[in-house]
Structure formats: structure tokens, C-alpha cells
Amino acid sequence: MFAAILMICGVLTSCKSTQQAAVDKIYDSSQFVNITDVVPDAMLEIRYHSTYNFVGARVDGYEEPVALMTREAADSLRAVSDDLKQHGYILKIYDAYRPQRGVDHFMRWALDVNDTLTRAYFYPYLTKEEVFEKEYVAKRSGHSRGSTVDLTIMDMKTGKDVDMGGTFDWFGPESHPDYCGDPETLEYKPQEGGITSEQFYNRMVLRAAMMRHGFKPLDNEWWHFTLKNEPFPDTYFAFPVRTLTK
């Protein structure tokens, strides 16, 4: 009997240790970096630390207006930046690593059908139910794995955002990379009320540079890219967004 009790205690201790290790892992930021430490030319406009976003409030987990990524993703992003600078562009980052509680905040917002404060600015043609059904908001986000970034480019001569024909986090087909064109052939396909050839081309400049340096695009957001060989494909981190100390 005593031996059996010891065995049970050992199993329980092992389970607790495994669970604690899993918790420790998702709160471990040691493999992450401040993007601006690696890409010093990058401009930051961290929308989820402000109220200018589809939620209409500062998002949970965004304690400082900084951008974090895994070391591997940041190094690849530096290569993108160096590439684009040769053509007169610098990067502007809207979001990168997103803690799971930020994703949870999005879900609460999506399920509150009475909260339509930002509808006119980000999803005028959709209901809250459709925002969730079309997966503009989901229970899990690649951002929480640490190797995904939302970004655009700026013109180094003018200091202004390059015209992409649409705003970040617009929920609709206008945000799709293939809107008014074919990303594979770069053929522009005009349509009434659509984006211009220049706007389509600008989207493709960003897309091509990201893909050249190991990122893969998303089908419904021209600004969203994930490192192909992301180091944590199955881990959804939970530490807050704040400046990492060396």
C-alpha cells in the first residue's frame, strides 16, 4: 500500500512538473527581441496599444507601444529592410508578437454583438457574426507564436506611408492581396471602385520583398506575413508586450 501511495505521488508530481514547464514556456521571452534593436530603421505604429483599432480600446497585454519577434524572424525582417532601403523604402510595423490574452480580448469583442463602435471604420459591410465566421478574428493567432508581423512601407523621400489603397485591419475583400490583380503574374485587373494599378503594385513591392527573405503571405490581408520556418510553430506565448531588457 505504501509503495502504491508513493507511486501515485510520483505520478502527480510528474504531472505537476510537466504542467509547470508548459506554463513556464509560454511566459518565456528569452528567444524574443525588440524589433527596433535588430531593425533600427523600422517605424512603429502599434495600433493595439492605442484606441485606433477595430476594438476601439487598448488591447489586453499591450503594456508598451513596442514590437517583439523571435530572433529568427527579426533577423529575416532585417534582410527585408535592407533590401527595401535600396529602393527608397523603410518598414512601418503595426503589430508583431501578440500575447494570447490579446487574442482573447479580440474574441470577447467579436462575441459582443452590441459593440459596433468601430464598424464604420473597419467592417462597414459585415456583421459581428460575419467577422468571426470569415475568420478575421479567431481563438488562436499566428502572431502569438512570435514570428508573424503586420506591416507596410514608407517612402524615404516623403516620409509618408506608401499608398496601399486600403487601411490596416480593414475587414473585407479590398484587403486581399489578389484584389484587382494576380500576385503570381503581377497582372493588374481593374474593376469599378477598386484600387489603382499603382496601389496594387505597391502591395506587390512589399509582398515580393517579404517572400524573398523567407516570409509567407496571408490570403486575406496584404499586410500580414509569417516566417516560413518559424521556430515555435506549436507554441502560443502569453507574456506581455513590453520592452525586453538585454
Side-chain angles (χ1 to χ4, degrees):
M1 175 67 72
F2 184 66
I5 292 174
L6 287 176
M7 183 178 293
I8 292 172
C9 288
V11 170
L12 290 175
T13 300
S14 177
C15 288
K16 288 181 180 179
S17 297
T18 300
Q19 292 171 352
Q20 186 59 50
V23 170
D24 290 345
K25 182 176 182 179
I26 65 173
Y27 282 96
D28 179 9
S29 62
S30 63
Q31 300 304 306
F32 284 67
V33 295
N34 305 302
I35 290 180
T36 50
D37 286 344
V38 181
V39 191
D41 298 315
M43 301 294 290
L44 302 183
E45 188 178 320
I46 308 303
R47 294 280 185 90
Y48 301 139
H49 185 263
S50 72
T51 60
Y52 179 39
N53 57 62
F54 66 87
V55 175
R58 181 176 295 178
V59 176
D60 290 354
Y62 285 80
E63 297 183 0
E64 295 181 41
V66 297
L68 313 178
M69 289 188 89
T70 60
R71 296 175 188 273
E72 294 86 346
D75 286 342
S76 293
L77 196 64
R78 172 60 184 266
V80 174
S81 176
D82 291 345
D83 185 340
L84 286 171
K85 276 193 293 185
Q86 297 180 49
H87 303 283
Y89 303 112
I90 58 172
L91 302 179
K92 174 187 275 191
I93 297 169
Y94 295 120
D95 191 34
Y97 161 68
R98 182 183 306 158
Q100 182 58 44
R101 60 185 171 131
V103 178
D104 296 341
H105 191 167
F106 289 176
M107 284 300 301
R108 292 195 305 274
W109 169 85
L111 294 173
D112 183 358
V113 296
N114 294 316
D115 180 358
T116 57
L117 177 67
T118 65
R119 185 178 183 184
Y121 306 101
F122 295 101
Y123 59 106
Y125 308 117
L126 299 177
T127 64
K128 271 293 189 70
E129 292 84 356
E130 289 174 315
V131 166
F132 184 71
E133 290 168 4
K134 295 180 182 293
E135 299 184 341
Y136 288 109
V137 173
K139 294 180 180 179
R140 293 284 196 182
S141 169
H143 282 274
S144 300
R145 301 195 299 266
S147 296
T148 294
V149 61
D150 293 335
L151 76 173
T152 189
I153 51 179
M154 299 177 65
D155 188 309
M156 293 173 65
K157 290 182 178 179
T158 66
K160 296 180 179 180
D161 291 1
V162 170
D163 186 359
M164 297 294 192
T167 186
F168 165 65
D169 263 353
W170 176 273
F171 298 159
E174 298 85 358
S175 293
H176 297 189
D178 62 357
Y179 181 62
C180 292
D182 185 335
E184 301 302 321
T185 65
L186 302 184
E187 179 187 1
Y188 173 65
K189 300 177 180 179
Q191 65 182 65
E192 186 176 355
I195 61 175
T196 67
S197 59
E198 182 179 4
Q199 291 165 338
F200 175 74
Y201 171 76
N202 290 339
R203 293 182 180 192
M204 294 304 104
V205 168
L206 173 62
R207 179 188 176 95
M210 295 297 286
M211 294 179 69
R212 277 196 298 273
H213 298 286
F215 288 90
K216 58 184 178 182
L218 188 66
D219 290 341
N220 61 357
E221 296 175 351
W222 59 258
W223 55 80
H224 178 117
F225 299 88
T226 299
L227 188 68
K228 285 183 180 178
N229 298 317
E230 56 181 313
F232 302 106
D234 302 310
T235 303
Y236 294 83
F237 291 88
F239 59 87
V241 175
R242 62 185 175 209
T243 303
L244 300 176
T245 55
K246 298 181 180 179

